[in-house]
Amino acid sequence: MADRTLILAFETSCDETSVAVVENGTKILSNIVATQIDSHQRFGGVVPEVASRHHIEWITRCTDQALAEANVSYNDIKAVAVTYGPGLVGSLLIGVTAAKAIAWAHNLPLVPVNHMTGHLYAARYVGEFKYPQMALLVSGGHTELVYMKAEHEFEIIGETRDDAAGEAYDKIGRVLGVNYPAGKTIDEWAAKGEDTFHFPRAMEKEANYDFSFSGLKSAFINTVHNADQRGEKLNKYDLAASFQQSVVDVLAEKTMRALDRYPVKQLILAGGVAANHGLRSRLDHDMHKYHPDVTMLQAPLKLCGDNAAMIGAAGYMCYQHGDRAGMDLNAEPGLMYGRMK
C-alpha cells in the first residue's frame, strides 16, 4: 500500500472555524467550515471578541465532525497542523490551543502553518506545484506577490502599503449598502456595468511590485458622497465595474511585470479575492498574451476563503520538511514571510 499520511488541520485565523483531514497533502477526506458571517454582518465587519467566542463554541464540534466524515480516528493521524498567524490573536489562540491539546494527548507532531502559505497551497488541489513559482495572494487582509525559488522558500517581492484588496471591497461595499462580506456582490454588479468613472490606478507604473488601494477607496467614497450632496443618483453597476477595473488593472499589471523579471514555471492565484471572476478572467487573458509558457493554477472557488483543507495541504508540505512546534507555540498575529531585499 502506498504511504498514507493523514494530517488533522485547524484554521481559526479570523471568522471561520474549520477543521479538516487531508491525505498526503492532495486529497481532502473532510473539510468542515463553521462560518460566522451572520454574526458579523450587522457590524459591517469582523468583531474580534465575537469571533473568538464563536471559535470556542465550534472548535470541538468541528473536530469531531471532521474525523467522523473522514471515517478516521486519532490513531490514523500522523500530525496536527494549525494556523498560528497572521490573523486575529484571539481567534488564532483557539485553534492553536486545540491543536496543541490534541497533539499532546495523542503524542502527535505539531506542525505550525502560516495562514498565507495555506491560501497558496489551496491551489495544490488543482495540480502539482513546479518551481520556481510566483504567487499572487489576495485576501481580506493581505495582498502579496510571493516568489518561490523552491518548495518551502517564500519571499515577498511586493505587498500592499495600506488597504488590502479585499479590505477595500468591504469598505466601498458599506458605502453602497452591501452586506459584509461585499466582494461577491461587487463582483456580480461589476459584470453588469462599465468603467465610466475611471478611478485612479495607484502605483500601477511605479518601479516596484507593491500595491495601494487606500486612494482608490477614498476616490470612490468621495464620488458617491459628492453625488449624494447634489441629489444625483449614480449607477451602482457602473460604480462597481469602475472600482473593480481599477483593482484588477493594478493587480494584473504588477503581476505581469513580476513575471517579466522573475522567470517562473507557474503562477498561483489564491486568497479570498481569487474567487473574483473579473480578476480570474483578466489574468487568464494576460497570461495567454504575455506569458504563454507559464502555467497558472487558480485555487478552487470553494477553497478561496479560509478553510482547514488548505492548511492541511500546506501542513503536509511543512511536515515533510521537518517543521515542528513545541507546546510553547503561540499565536503570531503579525506573522509574515521574509521580505526580499
Side-chain angles (χ1 to χ4, degrees):
M1 176 181 286
D3 179 52
R4 188 169 185 251
T5 299
L6 300 187
I7 303 292
L8 177 65
F10 291 84
E11 160 57 34
T12 62
S13 65
C14 192
D15 60 339
E16 310 286 356
T17 308
S18 185
V19 183
V21 178
V22 173
E23 179 180 334
N24 294 342
T26 57
K27 183 178 180 181
I28 301 172
L29 302 187
S30 62
N31 186 32
I32 309 303
V33 180
T35 184
Q36 304 176 14
I37 288 178
D38 290 343
S39 296
H40 298 285
Q41 273 186 341
R42 65 183 182 274
F43 303 112
V46 177
V47 180
E49 178 64 19
V50 173
S52 58
R53 288 179 180 271
H54 277 300
H55 288 309
I56 293 172
E57 295 174 4
W58 282 100
I59 194 71
T60 300
R61 280 182 278 183
C62 287
T63 303
D64 291 342
Q65 190 174 345
L67 291 168
E69 187 173 301
N71 194 27
V72 298
S73 69
Y74 286 115
N75 292 331
D76 301 308
I77 302 298
K78 288 288 184 67
V80 180
V82 61
T83 299
Y84 73 109
L88 301 175
V89 64
S91 294
L92 289 165
L93 281 170
I94 307 305
V96 168
T97 301
K100 288 198 295 186
I102 290 173
W104 180 83
H106 299 279
N107 195 29
L108 293 168
L110 180 64
V111 180
V113 177
N114 186 305
H115 176 72
M116 299 311 294
T117 304
H119 272 306
L120 194 159
Y121 267 77
R124 182 63 183 85
Y125 293 110
V126 176
E128 182 179 356
F129 280 5
K130 298 178 181 179
Y131 301 90
Q133 179 187 92
M134 186 72 70
L136 174 62
L137 301 181
V138 276
S139 68
H142 297 267
T143 302
E144 300 170 344
L145 275 167
V146 183
Y147 175 68
M148 289 152 286
K149 186 175 181 180
E151 185 175 80
H152 207 34
E153 293 185 16
F154 309 96
E155 294 178 295
I156 294 177
I157 64 168
E159 62 190 334
T160 184
R161 296 186 181 179
D162 39 60
D163 291 346
E167 188 179 6
Y169 269 91
D170 288 333
K171 288 180 178 179
I172 69 105
R174 287 198 288 271
V175 175
L176 293 176
V178 178
N179 285 335
Y180 167 88
K184 182 178 180 181
T185 299
I186 299 300
D187 186 24
E188 292 172 350
W189 287 4
K192 302 175 182 178
E194 296 181 0
D195 179 13
T196 59
F197 292 93
H198 307 295
F199 291 123
R201 273 71 167 158
M203 300 179 65
E204 184 181 26
K205 301 302 181 182
E206 289 191 13
N208 57 52
Y209 308 106
D210 289 342
F211 307 94
S212 172
F213 298 106
S214 180
L216 167 63
K217 172 201 67 181
S218 297
F220 182 97
I221 293 173
N222 289 337
T223 297
V224 174
H225 284 176
N226 288 340
D228 288 344
Q229 291 172 352
R230 296 192 302 269
E232 180 182 352
K233 186 174 179 60
L234 302 179
N235 185 304
K236 66 181 182 180
Y237 299 130
D238 288 344
L239 280 169
S242 299
F243 171 82
Q244 179 154 296
Q245 192 63 56
S246 177
V247 173
V248 168
D249 281 352
V250 173
L251 290 174
E253 171 71 20
K254 294 278 186 169
T255 301
M256 293 306 111
R257 195 183 306 160
L259 294 179
D260 289 338
R261 178 175 176 184
Y262 298 93
V264 297
K265 295 180 180 179
Q266 281 183 331
L267 172 68
I268 305 298
L269 174 63
V273 183
N276 183 283
H277 291 86
L279 178 59
R280 285 180 173 243
S281 176
R282 172 63 176 274
L283 287 179
D284 274 334
H285 171 272
D286 285 4
M287 290 297 290
H288 281 103
K289 182 176 181 179
Y290 301 113
H291 297 279
D293 296 330
V294 178
T295 60
M296 180 166 64
L297 295 183
Q298 299 179 341
L301 290 175
K302 64 180 181 180
L303 297 181
C304 285
D306 294 347
N307 67 90
M310 70 185 194
I311 303 304
Y316 174 79
M317 180 274 297
C318 293
Y319 173 76
Q320 294 295 100
H321 280 267
D323 290 358
R324 303 290 187 272
M327 289 299 107
D328 59 346
L329 179 67
N330 201 359
E332 294 191 26
L335 183 67
M336 289 183 62
Y337 299 137
R339 184 171 176 83
M340 198 175 236
K341 302 299 183 183

